[in-house]
PDB file of all heavy atoms in Angstrom:
ATOM      1  N   LEU N1031      22.385  11.645  -6.814  1.00 88.00           N
ATOM      2  CA  LEU N1031      22.344  10.395  -7.590  1.00 88.00           C
ATOM      3  C   LEU N1031      23.741   9.908  -7.975  1.00 88.00           C
ATOM      4  O   LEU N1031      23.988   8.718  -8.096  1.00 88.00           O
ATOM      5  CB  LEU N1031      21.549  10.623  -8.872  1.00 88.00           C
ATOM      6  CG  LEU N1031      20.200   9.956  -8.989  1.00 88.00           C
ATOM      7  CD1 LEU N1031      19.573  10.310 -10.314  1.00 88.00           C
ATOM      8  CD2 LEU N1031      20.308   8.448  -8.858  1.00 88.00           C
ATOM      9  N   GLU N1032      24.669  10.875  -8.172  1.00 86.00           N
ATOM     10  CA  GLU N1032      26.007  10.481  -8.593  1.00 86.00           C
ATOM     11  C   GLU N1032      26.629   9.521  -7.588  1.00 86.00           C
ATOM     12  O   GLU N1032      27.415   8.651  -7.947  1.00 86.00           O
ATOM     13  CB  GLU N1032      26.914  11.714  -8.723  1.00 86.00           C
ATOM     14  CG  GLU N1032      26.320  12.810  -9.595  1.00 86.00           C
ATOM     15  CD  GLU N1032      27.197  13.156 -10.776  1.00 86.00           C
ATOM     16  OE1 GLU N1032      28.044  12.333 -11.134  1.00 86.00           O
ATOM     17  OE2 GLU N1032      27.016  14.267 -11.326  1.00 86.00           O
ATOM     18  N   THR N1033      26.280   9.695  -6.315  1.00 83.00           N
ATOM     19  CA  THR N1033      26.915   8.858  -5.295  1.00 83.00           C
ATOM     20  C   THR N1033      25.903   8.002  -4.544  1.00 83.00           C
ATOM     21  O   THR N1033      26.251   7.340  -3.586  1.00 83.00           O
ATOM     22  CB  THR N1033      27.623   9.753  -4.269  1.00 83.00           C
ATOM     23  OG1 THR N1033      26.676  10.699  -3.786  1.00 83.00           O
ATOM     24  CG2 THR N1033      28.809  10.459  -4.863  1.00 83.00           C
ATOM     25  N   ALA N1034      24.663   8.042  -4.986  1.00 81.00           N
ATOM     26  CA  ALA N1034      23.615   7.390  -4.200  1.00 81.00           C
ATOM     27  C   ALA N1034      23.831   5.882  -4.098  1.00 81.00           C
ATOM     28  O   ALA N1034      24.446   5.279  -4.964  1.00 81.00           O
ATOM     29  CB  ALA N1034      22.248   7.653  -4.824  1.00 81.00           C
ATOM     30  N   ASP N1035      23.314   5.323  -3.028  1.00 78.00           N
ATOM     31  CA  ASP N1035      23.406   3.885  -2.831  1.00 78.00           C
ATOM     32  C   ASP N1035      22.611   3.196  -3.928  1.00 78.00           C
ATOM     33  O   ASP N1035      21.567   3.669  -4.344  1.00 78.00           O
ATOM     34  CB  ASP N1035      22.791   3.526  -1.491  1.00 78.00           C
ATOM     35  CG  ASP N1035      23.291   4.440  -0.415  1.00 78.00           C
ATOM     36  OD1 ASP N1035      22.913   5.638  -0.430  1.00 78.00           O
ATOM     37  OD2 ASP N1035      24.048   3.986   0.417  1.00 78.00           O
ATOM     38  N   TYR N1036      23.130   2.070  -4.355  1.00 79.00           N
ATOM     39  CA  TYR N1036      22.468   1.360  -5.441  1.00 79.00           C
ATOM     40  C   TYR N1036      21.022   1.028  -5.093  1.00 79.00           C
ATOM     41  O   TYR N1036      20.156   1.039  -5.934  1.00 79.00           O
ATOM     42  CB  TYR N1036      23.229   0.077  -5.774  1.00 79.00           C
ATOM     43  CG  TYR N1036      24.554   0.367  -6.399  1.00 79.00           C
ATOM     44  CD1 TYR N1036      25.737   0.201  -5.695  1.00 79.00           C
ATOM     45  CD2 TYR N1036      24.613   0.862  -7.688  1.00 79.00           C
ATOM     46  CE1 TYR N1036      26.957   0.502  -6.278  1.00 79.00           C
ATOM     47  CE2 TYR N1036      25.825   1.169  -8.281  1.00 79.00           C
ATOM     48  CZ  TYR N1036      26.990   0.981  -7.572  1.00 79.00           C
ATOM     49  OH  TYR N1036      28.186   1.297  -8.151  1.00 79.00           O
ATOM     50  N   SER N1037      20.800   0.745  -3.808  1.00 75.00           N
ATOM     51  CA  SER N1037      19.473   0.285  -3.415  1.00 75.00           C
ATOM     52  C   SER N1037      18.390   1.320  -3.689  1.00 75.00           C
ATOM     53  O   SER N1037      17.231   0.984  -3.829  1.00 75.00           O
ATOM     54  CB  SER N1037      19.474  -0.099  -1.944  1.00 75.00           C
ATOM     55  OG  SER N1037      19.944   0.977  -1.176  1.00 75.00           O
ATOM     56  N   ILE N1038      18.746   2.585  -3.723  1.00 78.00           N
ATOM     57  CA  ILE N1038      17.668   3.561  -3.869  1.00 78.00           C
ATOM     58  C   ILE N1038      17.759   4.335  -5.183  1.00 78.00           C
ATOM     59  O   ILE N1038      17.019   5.273  -5.425  1.00 78.00           O
ATOM     60  CB  ILE N1038      17.606   4.541  -2.677  1.00 78.00           C
ATOM     61  CG1 ILE N1038      18.870   5.362  -2.560  1.00 78.00           C
ATOM     62  CG2 ILE N1038      17.360   3.801  -1.390  1.00 78.00           C
ATOM     63  CD1 ILE N1038      18.748   6.449  -1.486  1.00 78.00           C
ATOM     64  N   ARG N1039      18.689   3.899  -6.062  1.00 83.00           N
ATOM     65  CA  ARG N1039      18.859   4.685  -7.293  1.00 83.00           C
ATOM     66  C   ARG N1039      17.627   4.691  -8.189  1.00 83.00           C
ATOM     67  O   ARG N1039      17.242   5.730  -8.703  1.00 83.00           O
ATOM     68  CB  ARG N1039      20.025   4.135  -8.089  1.00 83.00           C
ATOM     69  CG  ARG N1039      21.321   4.648  -7.580  1.00 83.00           C
ATOM     70  CD  ARG N1039      22.392   4.448  -8.597  1.00 83.00           C
ATOM     71  NE  ARG N1039      23.636   4.921  -8.022  1.00 83.00           N
ATOM     72  CZ  ARG N1039      24.772   4.939  -8.680  1.00 83.00           C
ATOM     73  NH1 ARG N1039      24.819   4.518  -9.910  1.00 83.00           N
ATOM     74  NH2 ARG N1039      25.854   5.401  -8.097  1.00 83.00           N
ATOM     75  N   GLU N1040      17.048   3.524  -8.397  1.00 80.00           N
ATOM     76  CA  GLU N1040      15.955   3.461  -9.349  1.00 80.00           C
ATOM     77  C   GLU N1040      14.819   4.372  -8.904  1.00 80.00           C
ATOM     78  O   GLU N1040      14.227   5.104  -9.690  1.00 80.00           O
ATOM     79  CB  GLU N1040      15.454   2.023  -9.499  1.00 80.00           C
ATOM     80  CG  GLU N1040      14.456   1.916 -10.628  1.00 80.00           C
ATOM     81  CD  GLU N1040      13.975   0.501 -10.856  1.00 80.00           C
ATOM     82  OE1 GLU N1040      14.505  -0.417 -10.205  1.00 80.00           O
ATOM     83  OE2 GLU N1040      13.051   0.341 -11.669  1.00 80.00           O
ATOM     84  N   GLU N1041      14.575   4.327  -7.599  1.00 79.00           N
ATOM     85  CA  GLU N1041      13.502   5.155  -7.080  1.00 79.00           C
ATOM     86  C   GLU N1041      13.840   6.634  -7.242  1.00 79.00           C
ATOM     87  O   GLU N1041      12.983   7.448  -7.591  1.00 79.00           O
ATOM     88  CB  GLU N1041      13.313   4.810  -5.616  1.00 79.00           C
ATOM     89  CG  GLU N1041      12.000   5.281  -5.083  1.00 79.00           C
ATOM     90  CD  GLU N1041      11.954   5.091  -3.591  1.00 79.00           C
ATOM     91  OE1 GLU N1041      12.416   4.047  -3.095  1.00 79.00           O
ATOM     92  OE2 GLU N1041      11.460   6.010  -2.928  1.00 79.00           O
ATOM     93  N   MET N1042      15.091   6.979  -6.981  1.00 84.00           N
ATOM     94  CA  MET N1042      15.497   8.374  -7.131  1.00 84.00           C
ATOM     95  C   MET N1042      15.329   8.833  -8.577  1.00 84.00           C
ATOM     96  O   MET N1042      14.876   9.945  -8.841  1.00 84.00           O
ATOM     97  CB  MET N1042      16.977   8.528  -6.736  1.00 84.00           C
ATOM     98  CG  MET N1042      17.269   8.353  -5.282  1.00 84.00           C
ATOM     99  SD  MET N1042      16.646   9.714  -4.277  1.00 84.00           S
ATOM    100  CE  MET N1042      17.648  11.050  -4.867  1.00 84.00           C
ATOM    101  N   VAL N1043      15.698   7.970  -9.511  1.00 85.00           N
ATOM    102  CA  VAL N1043      15.570   8.318 -10.924  1.00 85.00           C
ATOM    103  C   VAL N1043      14.113   8.641 -11.252  1.00 85.00           C
ATOM    104  O   VAL N1043      13.801   9.654 -11.870  1.00 85.00           O
ATOM    105  CB  VAL N1043      16.068   7.165 -11.816  1.00 85.00           C
ATOM    106  CG1 VAL N1043      15.624   7.360 -13.252  1.00 85.00           C
ATOM    107  CG2 VAL N1043      17.574   7.066 -11.739  1.00 85.00           C
ATOM    108  N   LEU N1044      13.224   7.806 -10.761  1.00 83.00           N
ATOM    109  CA  LEU N1044      11.812   8.041 -11.035  1.00 83.00           C
ATOM    110  C   LEU N1044      11.365   9.359 -10.442  1.00 83.00           C
ATOM    111  O   LEU N1044      10.626  10.123 -11.058  1.00 83.00           O
ATOM    112  CB  LEU N1044      10.978   6.925 -10.407  1.00 83.00           C
ATOM    113  CG  LEU N1044      10.945   5.646 -11.196  1.00 83.00           C
ATOM    114  CD1 LEU N1044      10.152   4.609 -10.462  1.00 83.00           C
ATOM    115  CD2 LEU N1044      10.302   5.951 -12.548  1.00 83.00           C
ATOM    116  N   LYS N1045      11.809   9.598  -9.231  1.00 85.00           N
ATOM    117  CA  LYS N1045      11.391  10.832  -8.569  1.00 85.00           C
ATOM    118  C   LYS N1045      11.867  12.043  -9.351  1.00 85.00           C
ATOM    119  O   LYS N1045      11.112  12.988  -9.569  1.00 85.00           O
ATOM    120  CB  LYS N1045      11.943  10.858  -7.152  1.00 85.00           C
ATOM    121  CG  LYS N1045      11.206   9.882  -6.263  1.00 85.00           C
ATOM    122  CD  LYS N1045      11.587  10.056  -4.829  1.00 85.00           C
ATOM    123  CE  LYS N1045      10.558   9.307  -3.997  1.00 85.00           C
ATOM    124  NZ  LYS N1045      11.123   8.758  -2.790  1.00 85.00           N
ATOM    125  N   VAL N1046      13.127  11.999  -9.768  1.00 88.00           N
ATOM    126  CA  VAL N1046      13.644  13.133 -10.528  1.00 88.00           C
ATOM    127  C   VAL N1046      12.836  13.305 -11.807  1.00 88.00           C
ATOM    128  O   VAL N1046      12.425  14.412 -12.157  1.00 88.00           O
ATOM    129  CB  VAL N1046      15.147  12.924 -10.842  1.00 88.00           C
ATOM    130  CG1 VAL N1046      15.631  13.982 -11.808  1.00 88.00           C
ATOM    131  CG2 VAL N1046      15.958  12.954  -9.562  1.00 88.00           C
ATOM    132  N   ALA N1047      12.578  12.193 -12.498  1.00 86.00           N
ATOM    133  CA  ALA N1047      11.861  12.282 -13.773  1.00 86.00           C
ATOM    134  C   ALA N1047      10.460  12.857 -13.567  1.00 86.00           C
ATOM    135  O   ALA N1047       9.998  13.699 -14.332  1.00 86.00           O
ATOM    136  CB  ALA N1047      11.779  10.908 -14.424  1.00 86.00           C
ATOM    137  N   ILE N1048       9.819  12.408 -12.507  1.00 85.00           N
ATOM    138  CA  ILE N1048       8.459  12.879 -12.261  1.00 85.00           C
ATOM    139  C   ILE N1048       8.458  14.356 -11.923  1.00 85.00           C
ATOM    140  O   ILE N1048       7.701  15.150 -12.477  1.00 85.00           O
ATOM    141  CB  ILE N1048       7.808  12.055 -11.133  1.00 85.00           C
ATOM    142  CG1 ILE N1048       7.543  10.628 -11.619  1.00 85.00           C
ATOM    143  CG2 ILE N1048       6.513  12.710 -10.666  1.00 85.00           C
ATOM    144  CD1 ILE N1048       7.057   9.690 -10.550  1.00 85.00           C
ATOM    145  N   LEU N1049       9.357  14.755 -11.029  1.00 87.00           N
ATOM    146  CA  LEU N1049       9.396  16.161 -10.633  1.00 87.00           C
ATOM    147  C   LEU N1049       9.774  17.045 -11.817  1.00 87.00           C
ATOM    148  O   LEU N1049       9.182  18.099 -12.033  1.00 87.00           O
ATOM    149  CB  LEU N1049      10.405  16.361  -9.492  1.00 87.00           C
ATOM    150  CG  LEU N1049      10.037  15.705  -8.163  1.00 87.00           C
ATOM    151  CD1 LEU N1049      11.111  15.958  -7.130  1.00 87.00           C
ATOM    152  CD2 LEU N1049       8.691  16.218  -7.662  1.00 87.00           C
ATOM    153  N   ALA N1050      10.781  16.594 -12.592  1.00 87.00           N
ATOM    154  CA  ALA N1050      11.243  17.429 -13.701  1.00 87.00           C
ATOM    155  C   ALA N1050      10.097  17.686 -14.659  1.00 87.00           C
ATOM    156  O   ALA N1050       9.937  18.784 -15.169  1.00 87.00           O
ATOM    157  CB  ALA N1050      12.394  16.740 -14.425  1.00 87.00           C
ATOM    158  N   GLU N1051       9.284  16.681 -14.899  1.00 84.00           N
ATOM    159  CA  GLU N1051       8.213  16.867 -15.851  1.00 84.00           C
ATOM    160  C   GLU N1051       7.065  17.653 -15.247  1.00 84.00           C
ATOM    161  O   GLU N1051       6.508  18.552 -15.860  1.00 84.00           O
ATOM    162  CB  GLU N1051       7.710  15.519 -16.330  1.00 84.00           C
ATOM    163  CG  GLU N1051       6.608  15.719 -17.341  1.00 84.00           C
ATOM    164  CD  GLU N1051       6.240  14.439 -18.045  1.00 84.00           C
ATOM    165  OE1 GLU N1051       7.031  13.502 -18.025  1.00 84.00           O
ATOM    166  OE2 GLU N1051       5.143  14.413 -18.618  1.00 84.00           O
ATOM    167  N   LYS N1052       6.749  17.302 -13.999  1.00 85.00           N
ATOM    168  CA  LYS N1052       5.602  17.943 -13.381  1.00 85.00           C
ATOM    169  C   LYS N1052       5.801  19.452 -13.267  1.00 85.00           C
ATOM    170  O   LYS N1052       4.881  20.220 -13.421  1.00 85.00           O
ATOM    171  CB  LYS N1052       5.376  17.333 -11.992  1.00 85.00           C
ATOM    172  CG  LYS N1052       4.037  17.676 -11.400  1.00 85.00           C
ATOM    173  CD  LYS N1052       3.955  17.201  -9.979  1.00 85.00           C
ATOM    174  CE  LYS N1052       3.648  15.720  -9.916  1.00 85.00           C
ATOM    175  NZ  LYS N1052       3.726  15.225  -8.527  1.00 85.00           N
ATOM    176  N   TYR N1053       7.002  19.847 -12.984  1.00 87.00           N
ATOM    177  CA  TYR N1053       7.238  21.268 -12.746  1.00 87.00           C
ATOM    178  C   TYR N1053       8.031  21.934 -13.861  1.00 87.00           C
ATOM    179  O   TYR N1053       8.623  22.990 -13.673  1.00 87.00           O
ATOM    180  CB  TYR N1053       7.922  21.450 -11.395  1.00 87.00           C
ATOM    181  CG  TYR N1053       7.063  20.893 -10.288  1.00 87.00           C
ATOM    182  CD1 TYR N1053       7.473  19.805  -9.542  1.00 87.00           C
ATOM    183  CD2 TYR N1053       5.808  21.441 -10.034  1.00 87.00           C
ATOM    184  CE1 TYR N1053       6.660  19.274  -8.554  1.00 87.00           C
ATOM    185  CE2 TYR N1053       4.988  20.913  -9.058  1.00 87.00           C
ATOM    186  CZ  TYR N1053       5.418  19.822  -8.321  1.00 87.00           C
ATOM    187  OH  TYR N1053       4.617  19.301  -7.355  1.00 87.00           O
ATOM    188  N   ALA N1054       8.070  21.308 -15.030  1.00 83.00           N
ATOM    189  CA  ALA N1054       8.817  21.915 -16.117  1.00 83.00           C
ATOM    190  C   ALA N1054       8.048  23.107 -16.658  1.00 83.00           C
ATOM    191  O   ALA N1054       6.938  22.966 -17.153  1.00 83.00           O
ATOM    192  CB  ALA N1054       9.043  20.894 -17.211  1.00 83.00           C
ATOM    193  N   VAL N1055       8.618  24.299 -16.531  1.00 79.00           N
ATOM    194  CA  VAL N1055       8.011  25.464 -17.148  1.00 79.00           C
ATOM    195  C   VAL N1055       8.805  25.700 -18.410  1.00 79.00           C
ATOM    196  O   VAL N1055       8.321  26.064 -19.458  1.00 79.00           O
ATOM    197  CB  VAL N1055       8.132  26.690 -16.232  1.00 79.00           C
ATOM    198  CG1 VAL N1055       7.257  27.810 -16.757  1.00 79.00           C
ATOM    199  CG2 VAL N1055       7.773  26.328 -14.809  1.00 79.00           C
ATOM    200  N   ASP N1056      10.080  25.378 -18.253  1.00 84.00           N
ATOM    201  CA  ASP N1056      11.005  25.655 -19.311  1.00 84.00           C
ATOM    202  C   ASP N1056      11.475  24.287 -19.777  1.00 84.00           C
ATOM    203  O   ASP N1056      12.093  23.524 -19.038  1.00 84.00           O
ATOM    204  CB  ASP N1056      12.075  26.531 -18.653  1.00 84.00           C
ATOM    205  CG  ASP N1056      13.409  26.444 -19.313  1.00 84.00           C
ATOM    206  OD1 ASP N1056      13.464  25.867 -20.397  1.00 84.00           O
ATOM    207  OD2 ASP N1056      14.374  26.943 -18.746  1.00 84.00           O
ATOM    208  N   TYR N1057      11.129  23.927 -21.019  1.00 87.00           N
ATOM    209  CA  TYR N1057      11.358  22.544 -21.439  1.00 87.00           C
ATOM    210  C   TYR N1057      12.802  22.235 -21.741  1.00 87.00           C
ATOM    211  O   TYR N1057      13.206  21.080 -21.770  1.00 87.00           O
ATOM    212  CB  TYR N1057      10.415  22.164 -22.578  1.00 87.00           C
ATOM    213  CG  TYR N1057       9.062  21.856 -22.013  1.00 87.00           C
ATOM    214  CD1 TYR N1057       8.094  22.829 -21.850  1.00 87.00           C
ATOM    215  CD2 TYR N1057       8.786  20.573 -21.523  1.00 87.00           C
ATOM    216  CE1 TYR N1057       6.886  22.553 -21.250  1.00 87.00           C
ATOM    217  CE2 TYR N1057       7.586  20.282 -20.930  1.00 87.00           C
ATOM    218  CZ  TYR N1057       6.640  21.281 -20.800  1.00 87.00           C
ATOM    219  OH  TYR N1057       5.448  20.997 -20.199  1.00 87.00           O
ATOM    220  N   SER N1058      13.619  23.288 -21.973  1.00 89.00           N
ATOM    221  CA  SER N1058      15.027  22.960 -22.166  1.00 89.00           C
ATOM    222  C   SER N1058      15.597  22.468 -20.830  1.00 89.00           C
ATOM    223  O   SER N1058      16.432  21.574 -20.793  1.00 89.00           O
ATOM    224  CB  SER N1058      15.795  24.166 -22.698  1.00 89.00           C
ATOM    225  OG  SER N1058      15.582  25.267 -21.875  1.00 89.00           O
ATOM    226  N   TRP N1059      15.096  22.995 -19.745  1.00 91.00           N
ATOM    227  CA  TRP N1059      15.511  22.499 -18.424  1.00 91.00           C
ATOM    228  C   TRP N1059      15.096  21.035 -18.266  1.00 91.00           C
ATOM    229  O   TRP N1059      15.868  20.208 -17.798  1.00 91.00           O
ATOM    230  CB  TRP N1059      14.880  23.361 -17.323  1.00 91.00           C
ATOM    231  CG  TRP N1059      15.096  22.801 -15.943  1.00 91.00           C
ATOM    232  CD1 TRP N1059      16.254  22.824 -15.240  1.00 91.00           C
ATOM    233  CD2 TRP N1059      14.129  22.141 -15.118  1.00 91.00           C
ATOM    234  NE1 TRP N1059      16.082  22.200 -14.026  1.00 91.00           N
ATOM    235  CE2 TRP N1059      14.776  21.771 -13.920  1.00 91.00           C
ATOM    236  CE3 TRP N1059      12.779  21.809 -15.273  1.00 91.00           C
ATOM    237  CZ2 TRP N1059      14.136  21.111 -12.893  1.00 91.00           C
ATOM    238  CZ3 TRP N1059      12.137  21.150 -14.245  1.00 91.00           C
ATOM    239  CH2 TRP N1059      12.800  20.804 -13.065  1.00 91.00           C
ATOM    240  N   TYR N1060      13.901  20.764 -18.713  1.00 90.00           N
ATOM    241  CA  TYR N1060      13.422  19.388 -18.597  1.00 90.00           C
ATOM    242  C   TYR N1060      14.315  18.438 -19.396  1.00 90.00           C
ATOM    243  O   TYR N1060      14.743  17.400 -18.911  1.00 90.00           O
ATOM    244  CB  TYR N1060      11.966  19.305 -19.092  1.00 90.00           C
ATOM    245  CG  TYR N1060      11.478  17.897 -19.279  1.00 90.00           C
ATOM    246  CD1 TYR N1060      11.180  17.110 -18.182  1.00 90.00           C
ATOM    247  CD2 TYR N1060      11.358  17.346 -20.549  1.00 90.00           C
ATOM    248  CE1 TYR N1060      10.759  15.798 -18.345  1.00 90.00           C
ATOM    249  CE2 TYR N1060      10.937  16.039 -20.722  1.00 90.00           C
ATOM    250  CZ  TYR N1060      10.639  15.271 -19.617  1.00 90.00           C
ATOM    251  OH  TYR N1060      10.241  13.979 -19.780  1.00 90.00           O
ATOM    252  N   VAL N1061      14.617  18.841 -20.656  1.00 90.00           N
ATOM    253  CA  VAL N1061      15.452  17.979 -21.498  1.00 90.00           C
ATOM    254  C   VAL N1061      16.821  17.786 -20.848  1.00 90.00           C
ATOM    255  O   VAL N1061      17.339  16.670 -20.757  1.00 90.00           O
ATOM    256  CB  VAL N1061      15.578  18.578 -22.913  1.00 90.00           C
ATOM    257  CG1 VAL N1061      16.646  17.861 -23.710  1.00 90.00           C
ATOM    258  CG2 VAL N1061      14.243  18.494 -23.626  1.00 90.00           C
ATOM    259  N   ASP N1062      17.393  18.880 -20.371  1.00 91.00           N
ATOM    260  CA  ASP N1062      18.701  18.775 -19.702  1.00 91.00           C
ATOM    261  C   ASP N1062      18.642  17.791 -18.545  1.00 91.00           C
ATOM    262  O   ASP N1062      19.524  16.966 -18.361  1.00 91.00           O
ATOM    263  CB  ASP N1062      19.125  20.140 -19.144  1.00 91.00           C
ATOM    264  CG  ASP N1062      19.653  21.050 -20.237  1.00 91.00           C
ATOM    265  OD1 ASP N1062      20.016  20.512 -21.304  1.00 91.00           O
ATOM    266  OD2 ASP N1062      19.705  22.271 -20.019  1.00 91.00           O
ATOM    267  N   THR N1063      17.583  17.926 -17.753  1.00 91.00           N
ATOM    268  CA  THR N1063      17.484  17.089 -16.560  1.00 91.00           C
ATOM    269  C   THR N1063      17.415  15.619 -16.939  1.00 91.00           C
ATOM    270  O   THR N1063      18.133  14.794 -16.376  1.00 91.00           O
ATOM    271  CB  THR N1063      16.223  17.483 -15.767  1.00 91.00           C
ATOM    272  OG1 THR N1063      16.294  18.877 -15.492  1.00 91.00           O
ATOM    273  CG2 THR N1063      16.145  16.706 -14.469  1.00 91.00           C
TER     274      THR N1063
END
Side-chain angles (χ1 to χ4, degrees):
Chain N
L1031 250 180
E1032 308 239 20
T1033 53
D1035 313 70
Y1036 291 106
S1037 55
I1038 62 173
R1039 278 197 182 183
E1040 188 178 354
E1041 197 188 319
M1042 291 289 294
V1043 166
L1044 281 178
K1045 287 189 166 148
V1046 171
I1048 290 173
L1049 293 179
E1051 181 169 341
K1052 194 187 280 173
Y1053 301 115
V1055 191
D1056 154 11
Y1057 281 90
S1058 53
W1059 172 74
Y1060 168 74
V1061 169
D1062 282 341
T1063 305

